[in-house]
Amino acid sequence: MSFSAFGDKFTRHSGITRLMEDMGEGLRTPGTVMLGGGNPAQIPAMNDYFHQLLQQMHDEGKLTDALCNYDGPQGKSTLLNSLAELLSKEQGWQISPKNIALTNGSQSAFFYLFNLYAGHRADGQKKRVLFPLAPEYLGYADAGLDEDLFVSTRPNIEMLPEGQFKYHVDFEHLHIGEDTGLICVSRPTNPTGNVITDDELLKLDALAQQHDIPLLIDNAYGVPFPGIIFSEARPLWNPNIILCMSLSKLGLPGSRCGIIIADEKVISAISNMNGIISLAPGSIGPAMAHEMIQRGDLLRLSEEVIKPFYQERVKQTIAVIRRYLPEDRCLIHKPEGAIFLWLWFKDLPISTEVLYQRLKQRGVLMVPGHFFFPGLEAEWPHTHQCMRMNYVPDSEVIERGVAILAEEIERARSEG
Ligand code: PLP
């Protein structure tokens, strides 16, 4: 069987495919300690809320309305209106419904946006997507139609008390050139839980404007919803910023609803792409989000339920890790948001890929760090010293996984 160049590229067994397969297999194997995937938590209060909301929407005929009709290619207009009003009021941003488009999950928004701004242009030039700070989200890595679409810069590392550290953008080595078509940063960052500071973001924004390049901020975990952010960080939007949001980490990953907030010209381009690729984005997630906004629940639940839940979980998980792994065995990136902890095993004699294989054999799934450096050209040992773990499972499950992790670390050290 032979495929087109597109087929060859998109049927490859990519890092994200292997991860998803492992997760699928893990889910079917009882007893597996799943610390690998990006599934948000099943928060009982949120699940009860969604259950009641869906029941009421069903009784009022709103669910069948959503299911039985196509929306326009820009997405459900009631949500575009209510969201524009909410964000204008809450954030003071000058936006109207014409500044918002919906997609089938934000993952497909990145595919659209990366290929809209990077790749081969009609004048023969090739543009790339710049990640100003790697590690970055694994889901970006294979989303380019062209090969070598991404370039990234290693971070500066600030060492902090209590065995923690924090990555910062290395502006000295950040190169924005003729071939930069888009700058992209997740804030909070998957996999590290880093939140680039307001200063860093303002600097990136100024650089982007200076070079006339859009700045994409992936706000899948951020404020004002779902609010999984523990540090003080001001959200930023202006017409040069493309802000991507999602309903997934609110607890609705199955709704596949991504939200793009951008200049009208970008929104019109996205609507056209939606029309061609999927006719229209799905309707159920947007119908639910609209109801949540109407009821004043979207931001309230983010602030009062979702954020405190994750904040407590991350605190408990760090306490568990420290019971088994002292600072000289394992450094932890300062947890400022998102649903992961990023662990750094500085002097481990084996790579974290080998550690991942050993953990998998013992029924513990975590993700080795080297997947999270899309576009990093020079070899950097640090990429093989880190692991990402999801801190969402119950603390007994976390403890089982961390105990096995600590044993494998000791075993590797005794071999080294
Ligand atoms: N952005 C980041 C940083 C993520 O971690 C994820 C999912 O894990 C996404 C975007 C994709 O979310 P969605 O479900 O909206 O496609």
PDB file of all heavy atoms in Angstrom, residues 38-39 104-110 136-137 140 186-191 218-221 245-249 252-253 256-259 338-340 388, ligand 1:
ATOM      1  N   GLY A  38      -3.018  12.793  29.609  1.00  0.00           N
ATOM      2  CA  GLY A  38      -3.396  14.182  29.884  1.00  0.00           C
ATOM      3  C   GLY A  38      -4.864  14.303  30.238  1.00  0.00           C
ATOM      4  O   GLY A  38      -5.435  15.377  30.129  1.00  0.00           O
ATOM      5  N   ASN A  39      -5.457  13.158  30.636  1.00  0.00           N
ATOM      6  CA  ASN A  39      -6.878  13.241  30.975  1.00  0.00           C
ATOM      7  C   ASN A  39      -7.071  14.091  32.227  1.00  0.00           C
ATOM      8  O   ASN A  39      -6.354  13.912  33.206  1.00  0.00           O
ATOM      9  CB  ASN A  39      -7.434  11.831  31.223  1.00  0.00           C
ATOM     10  CG  ASN A  39      -8.852  11.702  30.714  1.00  0.00           C
ATOM     11  OD1 ASN A  39      -9.097  11.933  29.531  1.00  0.00           O
ATOM     12  ND2 ASN A  39      -9.778  11.388  31.594  1.00  0.00           N
ATOM     13  N   ASN A 104     -12.865  21.796  16.598  1.00  0.00           N
ATOM     14  CA  ASN A 104     -13.087  20.501  17.266  1.00  0.00           C
ATOM     15  C   ASN A 104     -11.891  20.175  18.159  1.00  0.00           C
ATOM     16  O   ASN A 104     -11.017  19.405  17.789  1.00  0.00           O
ATOM     17  CB  ASN A 104     -13.331  19.408  16.224  1.00  0.00           C
ATOM     18  CG  ASN A 104     -14.672  19.598  15.553  1.00  0.00           C
ATOM     19  OD1 ASN A 104     -15.657  19.944  16.218  1.00  0.00           O
ATOM     20  ND2 ASN A 104     -14.730  19.416  14.262  1.00  0.00           N
ATOM     21  N   GLY A 105     -11.827  20.795  19.301  1.00  0.00           N
ATOM     22  CA  GLY A 105     -10.681  20.665  20.210  1.00  0.00           C
ATOM     23  C   GLY A 105      -9.612  21.674  19.825  1.00  0.00           C
ATOM     24  O   GLY A 105      -9.518  22.078  18.653  1.00  0.00           O
ATOM     25  N   SER A 106      -8.803  22.088  20.800  1.00  0.00           N
ATOM     26  CA  SER A 106      -7.770  23.067  20.431  1.00  0.00           C
ATOM     27  C   SER A 106      -6.649  22.396  19.646  1.00  0.00           C
ATOM     28  O   SER A 106      -5.923  23.043  18.913  1.00  0.00           O
ATOM     29  CB  SER A 106      -7.251  23.840  21.641  1.00  0.00           C
ATOM     30  OG  SER A 106      -6.782  22.979  22.623  1.00  0.00           O
ATOM     31  N   GLN A 107      -6.519  21.065  19.773  1.00  0.00           N
ATOM     32  CA  GLN A 107      -5.494  20.364  18.994  1.00  0.00           C
ATOM     33  C   GLN A 107      -5.678  20.661  17.493  1.00  0.00           C
ATOM     34  O   GLN A 107      -4.697  20.916  16.790  1.00  0.00           O
ATOM     35  CB  GLN A 107      -5.602  18.859  19.267  1.00  0.00           C
ATOM     36  CG  GLN A 107      -4.530  18.012  18.613  1.00  0.00           C
ATOM     37  CD  GLN A 107      -3.141  18.240  19.194  1.00  0.00           C
ATOM     38  OE1 GLN A 107      -2.987  18.688  20.327  1.00  0.00           O
ATOM     39  NE2 GLN A 107      -2.127  17.957  18.412  1.00  0.00           N
ATOM     40  N   SER A 108      -6.927  20.648  17.031  1.00  0.00           N
ATOM     41  CA  SER A 108      -7.101  20.933  15.597  1.00  0.00           C
ATOM     42  C   SER A 108      -6.869  22.414  15.304  1.00  0.00           C
ATOM     43  O   SER A 108      -6.477  22.768  14.185  1.00  0.00           O
ATOM     44  CB  SER A 108      -8.441  20.430  15.056  1.00  0.00           C
ATOM     45  OG  SER A 108      -9.477  20.816  15.878  1.00  0.00           O
ATOM     46  N   ALA A 109      -7.059  23.279  16.297  1.00  0.00           N
ATOM     47  CA  ALA A 109      -6.735  24.699  16.091  1.00  0.00           C
ATOM     48  C   ALA A 109      -5.233  24.872  15.837  1.00  0.00           C
ATOM     49  O   ALA A 109      -4.817  25.665  14.985  1.00  0.00           O
ATOM     50  CB  ALA A 109      -7.156  25.514  17.305  1.00  0.00           C
ATOM     51  N   PHE A 110      -4.408  24.110  16.559  1.00  0.00           N
ATOM     52  CA  PHE A 110      -2.952  24.247  16.348  1.00  0.00           C
ATOM     53  C   PHE A 110      -2.576  23.781  14.957  1.00  0.00           C
ATOM     54  O   PHE A 110      -1.730  24.384  14.302  1.00  0.00           O
ATOM     55  CB  PHE A 110      -2.148  23.452  17.391  1.00  0.00           C
ATOM     56  CG  PHE A 110      -2.532  23.777  18.795  1.00  0.00           C
ATOM     57  CD1 PHE A 110      -2.773  22.783  19.723  1.00  0.00           C
ATOM     58  CD2 PHE A 110      -2.695  25.091  19.191  1.00  0.00           C
ATOM     59  CE1 PHE A 110      -3.187  23.086  21.002  1.00  0.00           C
ATOM     60  CE2 PHE A 110      -3.100  25.412  20.468  1.00  0.00           C
ATOM     61  CZ  PHE A 110      -3.337  24.401  21.373  1.00  0.00           C
ATOM     62  N   GLU A 136       8.103  21.887  25.597  1.00  0.00           N
ATOM     63  CA  GLU A 136       6.783  22.347  25.177  1.00  0.00           C
ATOM     64  C   GLU A 136       5.881  21.144  24.921  1.00  0.00           C
ATOM     65  O   GLU A 136       6.347  20.011  24.905  1.00  0.00           O
ATOM     66  CB  GLU A 136       6.920  23.188  23.902  1.00  0.00           C
ATOM     67  CG  GLU A 136       6.560  24.638  23.978  1.00  0.00           C
ATOM     68  CD  GLU A 136       5.271  25.024  24.681  1.00  0.00           C
ATOM     69  OE1 GLU A 136       4.434  24.156  25.007  1.00  0.00           O
ATOM     70  OE2 GLU A 136       5.092  26.227  24.922  1.00  0.00           O
ATOM     71  N   TYR A 137       4.633  21.431  24.678  1.00  0.00           N
ATOM     72  CA  TYR A 137       3.580  20.416  24.544  1.00  0.00           C
ATOM     73  C   TYR A 137       3.871  19.446  23.390  1.00  0.00           C
ATOM     74  O   TYR A 137       4.096  19.853  22.261  1.00  0.00           O
ATOM     75  CB  TYR A 137       2.253  21.158  24.351  1.00  0.00           C
ATOM     76  CG  TYR A 137       1.062  20.323  24.020  1.00  0.00           C
ATOM     77  CD1 TYR A 137       0.812  19.132  24.694  1.00  0.00           C
ATOM     78  CD2 TYR A 137       0.155  20.742  23.050  1.00  0.00           C
ATOM     79  CE1 TYR A 137      -0.306  18.377  24.381  1.00  0.00           C
ATOM     80  CE2 TYR A 137      -0.963  20.001  22.746  1.00  0.00           C
ATOM     81  CZ  TYR A 137      -1.189  18.813  23.408  1.00  0.00           C
ATOM     82  OH  TYR A 137      -2.299  18.066  23.099  1.00  0.00           O
ATOM     83  N   TYR A 140       2.174  19.392  19.815  1.00  0.00           N
ATOM     84  CA  TYR A 140       2.533  20.280  18.705  1.00  0.00           C
ATOM     85  C   TYR A 140       3.449  19.574  17.697  1.00  0.00           C
ATOM     86  O   TYR A 140       3.484  19.917  16.520  1.00  0.00           O
ATOM     87  CB  TYR A 140       3.323  21.506  19.200  1.00  0.00           C
ATOM     88  CG  TYR A 140       2.635  22.401  20.199  1.00  0.00           C
ATOM     89  CD1 TYR A 140       3.380  23.109  21.157  1.00  0.00           C
ATOM     90  CD2 TYR A 140       1.254  22.588  20.190  1.00  0.00           C
ATOM     91  CE1 TYR A 140       2.776  23.953  22.071  1.00  0.00           C
ATOM     92  CE2 TYR A 140       0.644  23.436  21.110  1.00  0.00           C
ATOM     93  CZ  TYR A 140       1.409  24.115  22.049  1.00  0.00           C
ATOM     94  OH  TYR A 140       0.813  24.949  22.948  1.00  0.00           O
ATOM     95  N   SER A 186       2.791  27.618  25.407  1.00  0.00           N
ATOM     96  CA  SER A 186       1.662  27.215  26.254  1.00  0.00           C
ATOM     97  C   SER A 186       1.875  27.818  27.648  1.00  0.00           C
ATOM     98  O   SER A 186       2.976  27.808  28.182  1.00  0.00           O
ATOM     99  CB  SER A 186       1.498  25.693  26.314  1.00  0.00           C
ATOM    100  OG  SER A 186       2.621  25.052  26.858  1.00  0.00           O
ATOM    101  N   ARG A 187       0.794  28.351  28.202  1.00  0.00           N
ATOM    102  CA  ARG A 187       0.880  29.069  29.492  1.00  0.00           C
ATOM    103  C   ARG A 187      -0.404  28.848  30.254  1.00  0.00           C
ATOM    104  O   ARG A 187      -1.401  29.427  29.837  1.00  0.00           O
ATOM    105  CB  ARG A 187       1.089  30.561  29.211  1.00  0.00           C
ATOM    106  CG  ARG A 187       1.283  31.412  30.456  1.00  0.00           C
ATOM    107  CD  ARG A 187       1.311  32.879  30.069  1.00  0.00           C
ATOM    108  NE  ARG A 187       1.928  33.687  31.103  1.00  0.00           N
ATOM    109  CZ  ARG A 187       1.287  34.709  31.684  1.00  0.00           C
ATOM    110  NH1 ARG A 187       0.069  35.031  31.354  1.00  0.00           N
ATOM    111  NH2 ARG A 187       1.897  35.428  32.596  1.00  0.00           N
ATOM    112  N   PRO A 188      -0.451  28.031  31.295  1.00  0.00           N
ATOM    113  CA  PRO A 188       0.585  27.159  31.835  1.00  0.00           C
ATOM    114  C   PRO A 188       1.059  26.128  30.796  1.00  0.00           C
ATOM    115  O   PRO A 188       0.305  25.776  29.903  1.00  0.00           O
ATOM    116  CB  PRO A 188      -0.115  26.435  32.985  1.00  0.00           C
ATOM    117  CG  PRO A 188      -1.298  27.259  33.330  1.00  0.00           C
ATOM    118  CD  PRO A 188      -1.694  27.977  32.094  1.00  0.00           C
ATOM    119  N   THR A 189       2.290  25.667  31.010  1.00  0.00           N
ATOM    120  CA  THR A 189       2.904  24.755  30.060  1.00  0.00           C
ATOM    121  C   THR A 189       2.648  23.294  30.434  1.00  0.00           C
ATOM    122  O   THR A 189       2.844  22.895  31.574  1.00  0.00           O
ATOM    123  CB  THR A 189       4.439  24.991  30.034  1.00  0.00           C
ATOM    124  OG1 THR A 189       4.680  26.358  29.759  1.00  0.00           O
ATOM    125  CG2 THR A 189       5.103  24.133  28.960  1.00  0.00           C
ATOM    126  N   ASN A 190       2.223  22.539  29.443  1.00  0.00           N
ATOM    127  CA  ASN A 190       2.298  21.090  29.484  1.00  0.00           C
ATOM    128  C   ASN A 190       3.619  20.793  28.783  1.00  0.00           C
ATOM    129  O   ASN A 190       3.768  21.215  27.634  1.00  0.00           O
ATOM    130  CB  ASN A 190       1.101  20.515  28.706  1.00  0.00           C
ATOM    131  CG  ASN A 190       1.208  19.037  28.474  1.00  0.00           C
ATOM    132  OD1 ASN A 190       2.164  18.401  28.873  1.00  0.00           O
ATOM    133  ND2 ASN A 190       0.213  18.486  27.784  1.00  0.00           N
ATOM    134  N   PRO A 191       4.593  20.150  29.355  1.00  0.00           N
ATOM    135  CA  PRO A 191       4.583  19.212  30.465  1.00  0.00           C
ATOM    136  C   PRO A 191       5.053  19.735  31.818  1.00  0.00           C
ATOM    137  O   PRO A 191       5.009  18.986  32.793  1.00  0.00           O
ATOM    138  CB  PRO A 191       5.638  18.200  30.000  1.00  0.00           C
ATOM    139  CG  PRO A 191       6.688  19.062  29.345  1.00  0.00           C
ATOM    140  CD  PRO A 191       5.891  20.139  28.652  1.00  0.00           C
ATOM    141  N   ASP A 218      -1.232  29.362  24.102  1.00  0.00           N
ATOM    142  CA  ASP A 218      -2.102  28.208  24.336  1.00  0.00           C
ATOM    143  C   ASP A 218      -2.507  28.229  25.806  1.00  0.00           C
ATOM    144  O   ASP A 218      -1.710  27.949  26.698  1.00  0.00           O
ATOM    145  CB  ASP A 218      -1.324  26.932  23.978  1.00  0.00           C
ATOM    146  CG  ASP A 218      -2.105  25.662  24.292  1.00  0.00           C
ATOM    147  OD1 ASP A 218      -3.244  25.756  24.791  1.00  0.00           O
ATOM    148  OD2 ASP A 218      -1.552  24.573  24.027  1.00  0.00           O
ATOM    149  N   ASN A 219      -3.768  28.579  26.019  1.00  0.00           N
ATOM    150  CA  ASN A 219      -4.280  28.817  27.368  1.00  0.00           C
ATOM    151  C   ASN A 219      -5.206  27.672  27.808  1.00  0.00           C
ATOM    152  O   ASN A 219      -6.196  27.893  28.493  1.00  0.00           O
ATOM    153  CB  ASN A 219      -5.044  30.166  27.318  1.00  0.00           C
ATOM    154  CG  ASN A 219      -5.393  30.725  28.661  1.00  0.00           C
ATOM    155  OD1 ASN A 219      -4.661  30.528  29.634  1.00  0.00           O
ATOM    156  ND2 ASN A 219      -6.510  31.421  28.743  1.00  0.00           N
ATOM    157  N   ALA A 220      -4.854  26.433  27.403  1.00  0.00           N
ATOM    158  CA  ALA A 220      -5.739  25.292  27.673  1.00  0.00           C
ATOM    159  C   ALA A 220      -6.005  25.095  29.173  1.00  0.00           C
ATOM    160  O   ALA A 220      -7.035  24.541  29.553  1.00  0.00           O
ATOM    161  CB  ALA A 220      -5.155  24.013  27.075  1.00  0.00           C
ATOM    162  N   TYR A 221      -5.051  25.532  30.023  1.00  0.00           N
ATOM    163  CA  TYR A 221      -5.209  25.322  31.475  1.00  0.00           C
ATOM    164  C   TYR A 221      -5.436  26.630  32.245  1.00  0.00           C
ATOM    165  O   TYR A 221      -5.562  26.614  33.455  1.00  0.00           O
ATOM    166  CB  TYR A 221      -3.938  24.671  32.049  1.00  0.00           C
ATOM    167  CG  TYR A 221      -3.638  23.331  31.449  1.00  0.00           C
ATOM    168  CD1 TYR A 221      -2.817  23.213  30.332  1.00  0.00           C
ATOM    169  CD2 TYR A 221      -4.196  22.174  31.983  1.00  0.00           C
ATOM    170  CE1 TYR A 221      -2.556  21.983  29.755  1.00  0.00           C
ATOM    171  CE2 TYR A 221      -3.939  20.942  31.424  1.00  0.00           C
ATOM    172  CZ  TYR A 221      -3.124  20.854  30.316  1.00  0.00           C
ATOM    173  OH  TYR A 221      -2.877  19.628  29.749  1.00  0.00           O
ATOM    174  N   MET A 245      -8.086  28.508  23.642  1.00  0.00           N
ATOM    175  CA  MET A 245      -8.637  27.966  24.882  1.00  0.00           C
ATOM    176  C   MET A 245      -9.370  26.660  24.575  1.00  0.00           C
ATOM    177  O   MET A 245      -9.481  26.277  23.404  1.00  0.00           O
ATOM    178  CB  MET A 245      -9.580  28.982  25.532  1.00  0.00           C
ATOM    179  CG  MET A 245      -8.873  30.294  25.807  1.00  0.00           C
ATOM    180  SD  MET A 245      -9.776  31.415  26.858  1.00  0.00           S
ATOM    181  CE  MET A 245      -9.869  30.519  28.384  1.00  0.00           C
ATOM    182  N   SER A 246      -9.879  26.008  25.614  1.00  0.00           N
ATOM    183  CA  SER A 246     -10.452  24.687  25.411  1.00  0.00           C
ATOM    184  C   SER A 246     -11.425  24.375  26.543  1.00  0.00           C
ATOM    185  O   SER A 246     -11.272  24.886  27.658  1.00  0.00           O
ATOM    186  CB  SER A 246      -9.298  23.679  25.424  1.00  0.00           C
ATOM    187  OG  SER A 246      -9.787  22.371  25.487  1.00  0.00           O
ATOM    188  N   LEU A 247     -12.405  23.539  26.253  1.00  0.00           N
ATOM    189  CA  LEU A 247     -13.291  23.063  27.326  1.00  0.00           C
ATOM    190  C   LEU A 247     -12.748  21.794  27.977  1.00  0.00           C
ATOM    191  O   LEU A 247     -13.301  21.296  28.949  1.00  0.00           O
ATOM    192  CB  LEU A 247     -14.690  22.766  26.775  1.00  0.00           C
ATOM    193  CG  LEU A 247     -15.498  23.906  26.174  1.00  0.00           C
ATOM    194  CD1 LEU A 247     -16.921  23.435  25.906  1.00  0.00           C
ATOM    195  CD2 LEU A 247     -15.531  25.125  27.101  1.00  0.00           C
ATOM    196  N   SER A 248     -11.649  21.238  27.411  1.00  0.00           N
ATOM    197  CA  SER A 248     -11.214  19.910  27.853  1.00  0.00           C
ATOM    198  C   SER A 248     -10.867  19.857  29.331  1.00  0.00           C
ATOM    199  O   SER A 248     -11.315  18.977  30.059  1.00  0.00           O
ATOM    200  CB  SER A 248     -10.017  19.446  27.028  1.00  0.00           C
ATOM    201  OG  SER A 248     -10.422  19.263  25.699  1.00  0.00           O
ATOM    202  N   LYS A 249     -10.053  20.789  29.798  1.00  0.00           N
ATOM    203  CA  LYS A 249      -9.541  20.663  31.165  1.00  0.00           C
ATOM    204  C   LYS A 249     -10.548  21.168  32.211  1.00  0.00           C
ATOM    205  O   LYS A 249     -10.331  21.061  33.412  1.00  0.00           O
ATOM    206  CB  LYS A 249      -8.178  21.364  31.297  1.00  0.00           C
ATOM    207  CG  LYS A 249      -7.186  20.988  30.205  1.00  0.00           C
ATOM    208  CD  LYS A 249      -6.888  19.487  30.088  1.00  0.00           C
ATOM    209  CE  LYS A 249      -6.144  19.194  28.789  1.00  0.00           C
ATOM    210  NZ  LYS A 249      -5.701  17.823  28.629  1.00  0.00           N
ATOM    211  N   LEU A 252     -14.367  18.423  30.194  1.00  0.00           N
ATOM    212  CA  LEU A 252     -15.161  18.010  29.035  1.00  0.00           C
ATOM    213  C   LEU A 252     -14.290  17.666  27.823  1.00  0.00           C
ATOM    214  O   LEU A 252     -14.545  18.158  26.717  1.00  0.00           O
ATOM    215  CB  LEU A 252     -16.136  19.138  28.655  1.00  0.00           C
ATOM    216  CG  LEU A 252     -17.197  19.513  29.682  1.00  0.00           C
ATOM    217  CD1 LEU A 252     -17.924  20.788  29.263  1.00  0.00           C
ATOM    218  CD2 LEU A 252     -18.193  18.376  29.882  1.00  0.00           C
ATOM    219  N   PRO A 253     -13.259  16.797  27.997  1.00  0.00           N
ATOM    220  CA  PRO A 253     -12.400  16.528  26.829  1.00  0.00           C
ATOM    221  C   PRO A 253     -13.167  15.838  25.700  1.00  0.00           C
ATOM    222  O   PRO A 253     -12.834  16.013  24.529  1.00  0.00           O
ATOM    223  CB  PRO A 253     -11.296  15.611  27.388  1.00  0.00           C
ATOM    224  CG  PRO A 253     -11.846  15.025  28.635  1.00  0.00           C
ATOM    225  CD  PRO A 253     -12.819  16.047  29.176  1.00  0.00           C
ATOM    226  N   ARG A 256     -14.691  17.873  22.665  1.00  0.00           N
ATOM    227  CA  ARG A 256     -13.802  18.341  21.599  1.00  0.00           C
ATOM    228  C   ARG A 256     -14.125  19.789  21.214  1.00  0.00           C
ATOM    229  O   ARG A 256     -14.463  20.074  20.061  1.00  0.00           O
ATOM    230  CB  ARG A 256     -13.857  17.422  20.355  1.00  0.00           C
ATOM    231  CG  ARG A 256     -13.641  15.944  20.587  1.00  0.00           C
ATOM    232  CD  ARG A 256     -12.368  15.615  21.376  1.00  0.00           C
ATOM    233  NE  ARG A 256     -11.124  16.102  20.796  1.00  0.00           N
ATOM    234  CZ  ARG A 256     -10.272  16.879  21.476  1.00  0.00           C
ATOM    235  NH1 ARG A 256     -10.514  17.272  22.713  1.00  0.00           N
ATOM    236  NH2 ARG A 256      -9.160  17.257  20.924  1.00  0.00           N
ATOM    237  N   CYS A 257     -14.015  20.677  22.145  1.00  0.00           N
ATOM    238  CA  CYS A 257     -14.299  22.078  21.837  1.00  0.00           C
ATOM    239  C   CYS A 257     -13.094  22.962  22.118  1.00  0.00           C
ATOM    240  O   CYS A 257     -12.678  23.112  23.264  1.00  0.00           O
ATOM    241  CB  CYS A 257     -15.510  22.562  22.644  1.00  0.00           C
ATOM    242  SG  CYS A 257     -15.883  24.300  22.335  1.00  0.00           S
ATOM    243  N   GLY A 258     -12.529  23.503  21.053  1.00  0.00           N
ATOM    244  CA  GLY A 258     -11.453  24.479  21.173  1.00  0.00           C
ATOM    245  C   GLY A 258     -11.983  25.862  20.822  1.00  0.00           C
ATOM    246  O   GLY A 258     -12.960  25.982  20.064  1.00  0.00           O
ATOM    247  N   ILE A 259     -11.351  26.876  21.390  1.00  0.00           N
ATOM    248  CA  ILE A 259     -11.819  28.260  21.203  1.00  0.00           C
ATOM    249  C   ILE A 259     -10.617  29.107  20.774  1.00  0.00           C
ATOM    250  O   ILE A 259      -9.588  29.093  21.453  1.00  0.00           O
ATOM    251  CB  ILE A 259     -12.401  28.801  22.533  1.00  0.00           C
ATOM    252  CG1 ILE A 259     -13.582  27.947  22.987  1.00  0.00           C
ATOM    253  CG2 ILE A 259     -12.799  30.271  22.397  1.00  0.00           C
ATOM    254  CD1 ILE A 259     -13.949  28.117  24.453  1.00  0.00           C
ATOM    255  N   ALA A 338      -1.401  23.742  35.216  1.00  0.00           N
ATOM    256  CA  ALA A 338      -1.589  22.519  34.413  1.00  0.00           C
ATOM    257  C   ALA A 338      -1.697  21.293  35.330  1.00  0.00           C
ATOM    258  O   ALA A 338      -1.751  21.433  36.564  1.00  0.00           O
ATOM    259  CB  ALA A 338      -0.513  22.341  33.359  1.00  0.00           C
ATOM    260  N   ILE A 339      -1.684  20.102  34.743  1.00  0.00           N
ATOM    261  CA  ILE A 339      -2.031  18.916  35.537  1.00  0.00           C
ATOM    262  C   ILE A 339      -0.870  17.927  35.634  1.00  0.00           C
ATOM    263  O   ILE A 339      -1.088  16.742  35.837  1.00  0.00           O
ATOM    264  CB  ILE A 339      -3.301  18.244  34.962  1.00  0.00           C
ATOM    265  CG1 ILE A 339      -3.085  17.773  33.514  1.00  0.00           C
ATOM    266  CG2 ILE A 339      -4.477  19.200  34.986  1.00  0.00           C
ATOM    267  CD1 ILE A 339      -4.301  17.022  32.937  1.00  0.00           C
ATOM    268  N   PHE A 340       0.352  18.433  35.489  1.00  0.00           N
ATOM    269  CA  PHE A 340       1.522  17.560  35.486  1.00  0.00           C
ATOM    270  C   PHE A 340       2.600  18.059  36.448  1.00  0.00           C
ATOM    271  O   PHE A 340       2.687  19.253  36.734  1.00  0.00           O
ATOM    272  CB  PHE A 340       2.147  17.520  34.080  1.00  0.00           C
ATOM    273  CG  PHE A 340       1.156  17.198  33.011  1.00  0.00           C
ATOM    274  CD1 PHE A 340       0.622  18.199  32.219  1.00  0.00           C
ATOM    275  CD2 PHE A 340       0.730  15.892  32.814  1.00  0.00           C
ATOM    276  CE1 PHE A 340      -0.320  17.914  31.241  1.00  0.00           C
ATOM    277  CE2 PHE A 340      -0.205  15.589  31.840  1.00  0.00           C
ATOM    278  CZ  PHE A 340      -0.730  16.607  31.051  1.00  0.00           C
ATOM    279  N   ARG A 388       7.611  13.300  32.757  1.00  0.00           N
ATOM    280  CA  ARG A 388       6.365  13.992  33.104  1.00  0.00           C
ATOM    281  C   ARG A 388       5.417  13.023  33.780  1.00  0.00           C
ATOM    282  O   ARG A 388       5.216  11.918  33.292  1.00  0.00           O
ATOM    283  CB  ARG A 388       5.705  14.525  31.831  1.00  0.00           C
ATOM    284  CG  ARG A 388       4.472  15.369  32.124  1.00  0.00           C
ATOM    285  CD  ARG A 388       3.669  15.627  30.877  1.00  0.00           C
ATOM    286  NE  ARG A 388       2.830  14.486  30.525  1.00  0.00           N
ATOM    287  CZ  ARG A 388       1.935  14.491  29.530  1.00  0.00           C
ATOM    288  NH1 ARG A 388       1.801  15.574  28.779  1.00  0.00           N
ATOM    289  NH2 ARG A 388       1.212  13.423  29.272  1.00  0.00           N
TER     290      ARG A 388
HETATM  291  N1  PLP B   1      -2.779  22.474  24.846  1.00  0.00           N
HETATM  292  C1  PLP B   1      -2.176  21.861  25.846  1.00  0.00           C
HETATM  293  C2  PLP B   1      -1.021  22.540  26.513  1.00  0.00           C
HETATM  294  C3  PLP B   1      -2.597  20.593  26.252  1.00  0.00           C
HETATM  295  O1  PLP B   1      -1.977  19.971  27.264  1.00  0.00           O
HETATM  296  C4  PLP B   1      -3.667  19.960  25.580  1.00  0.00           C
HETATM  297  C5  PLP B   1      -4.137  18.609  25.941  1.00  0.00           C
HETATM  298  O2  PLP B   1      -3.604  17.923  26.746  1.00  0.00           O
HETATM  299  C6  PLP B   1      -4.250  20.647  24.531  1.00  0.00           C
HETATM  300  C7  PLP B   1      -3.799  21.906  24.202  1.00  0.00           C
HETATM  301  C8  PLP B   1      -5.315  20.009  23.682  1.00  0.00           C
HETATM  302  O3  PLP B   1      -6.556  20.125  24.179  1.00  0.00           O
HETATM  303  P1  PLP B   1      -7.866  19.816  23.357  1.00  0.00           P
HETATM  304  O4  PLP B   1      -8.519  18.699  24.075  1.00  0.00           O
HETATM  305  O5  PLP B   1      -8.636  21.102  23.401  1.00  0.00           O
HETATM  306  O6  PLP B   1      -7.534  19.450  21.927  1.00  0.00           O
END
